[in-house]
Amino acid sequence: MAKRFVLPLLAGSMTASAFVTTRSLRRSQPLRGLLDDLLGSKAYGGACVMGEEEIMSPKEHGTSKVPVQADLRWDCANDVADRICNFNRHYAEYAGYWETTSFLKEHSMASVLENGEITFYDSNTGKPLFYAPRGRTFDEFVAESKSHGWPSFRDEETNWEYVRVLANGEAVSVDGTHLGHNLPDRSGNRYCINLVSVAGKPVE
């Protein structure tokens, strides 16, 4: 008789705002992905650039040297952004939060066709981290993001100069900003990212 393995489910909550644990984000992953989480995956395929745990070592402001910018894009809440970006490794903005911001009011298929792809900047440093849509339409980017609850980026939409993925799948900036997690699917790597983590403005 084949052995059965029972994987414990972990839950968490924070009173300051609505958060979900990264464990809940992974419920749709295949068994291989769950085992990778438990055993510690060493590398991902595709263009993914791996990083070391040292990136997220304590610094002057949590895992970063600086707090989030004072005036984030899309009316993202600064207090939520600062907690998620700098004092957190496991929690996320609640599913669908990005749809409650002004993002979808400011951007559309028409605006992207007119102005080009959207650049998503680190909420702490203002460095460009993601560009979307690339290799697909804006509507396809939005549809995938809505289906998962968080903005979802692919390898070609990621700026690997400033983004790294740790062995457990955590996506971070090279400056220590917690961004989200890599949750691969049949199409490849999918970076499930908190909008509050990439709502910064470019620094001149």
Side-chain angles (χ1 to χ4, degrees):
M1 181 179 296
K3 293 183 179 180
R4 298 179 62 188
F5 295 89
V6 178
L7 300 177
L9 297 178
L10 303 179
S13 62
M14 297 183 72
T15 57
S17 185
F19 292 85
V20 296
T21 65
T22 55
R23 299 295 181 186
S24 65
L25 298 182
R26 295 189 174 106
R27 286 181 297 180
S28 61
Q29 283 187 276
L31 179 59
R32 179 179 178 182
L34 292 174
L35 292 176
D36 282 346
D37 288 343
L38 294 174
L39 301 177
S41 176
K42 295 300 182 183
Y44 294 91
C48 181
V49 177
M50 302 299 293
E52 300 296 330
E53 179 66 26
E54 181 182 0
I55 294 174
M56 300 301 283
S57 62
K59 302 178 185 68
E60 290 87 336
H61 191 77
T63 57
S64 305
K65 291 184 178 181
V66 296
V68 297
Q69 297 175 355
D71 185 21
L72 296 175
R73 300 163 76 191
W74 308 306
D75 299 322
C76 287
N78 280 71
D79 58 340
V80 175
D82 202 48
R83 285 194 299 274
I84 289 178
C85 291
N86 301 316
F87 299 95
N88 158 67
R89 302 291 302 280
H90 305 291
Y91 291 88
E93 64 196 24
Y94 63 81
Y97 169 84
W98 72 282
E99 294 182 65
T100 70
T101 70
S102 64
F103 180 86
L104 291 176
K105 296 178 181 178
E106 295 182 29
H107 303 288
S108 65
M109 176 72 84
S111 68
V112 169
L113 288 174
E114 180 179 352
N115 303 313
E117 62 193 16
I118 304 163
T119 301
F120 297 80
Y121 299 93
D122 189 320
S123 291
N124 287 323
T125 66
K127 293 178 180 178
L129 303 181
F130 298 95
Y131 308 96
R134 280 188 178 178
R136 54 179 170 174
T137 68
F138 176 77
D139 287 348
E140 289 170 337
F141 166 74
V142 169
E144 180 173 73
S145 299
K146 283 185 175 182
S147 70
H148 294 288
W150 290 265
S152 295
F153 301 92
R154 297 292 175 170
D155 281 343
E156 61 267 35
E157 296 172 319
T158 305
N159 183 356
W160 294 111
E161 182 177 359
Y162 299 124
V163 176
R164 296 291 183 270
V165 176
L166 306 188
N168 66 352
E170 182 182 6
V172 302
S173 78
V174 295
D175 297 294
T177 307
H178 172 81
L179 304 176
H181 283 79
N182 180 20
L183 304 176
D185 58 18
R186 292 180 180 179
S187 298
N189 293 316
R190 180 177 64 82
Y191 306 99
C192 190
I193 304 299
N194 296 290
L195 187 66
V196 297
S197 298
V198 292
K201 296 180 179 179
V203 176
E204 298 297 334

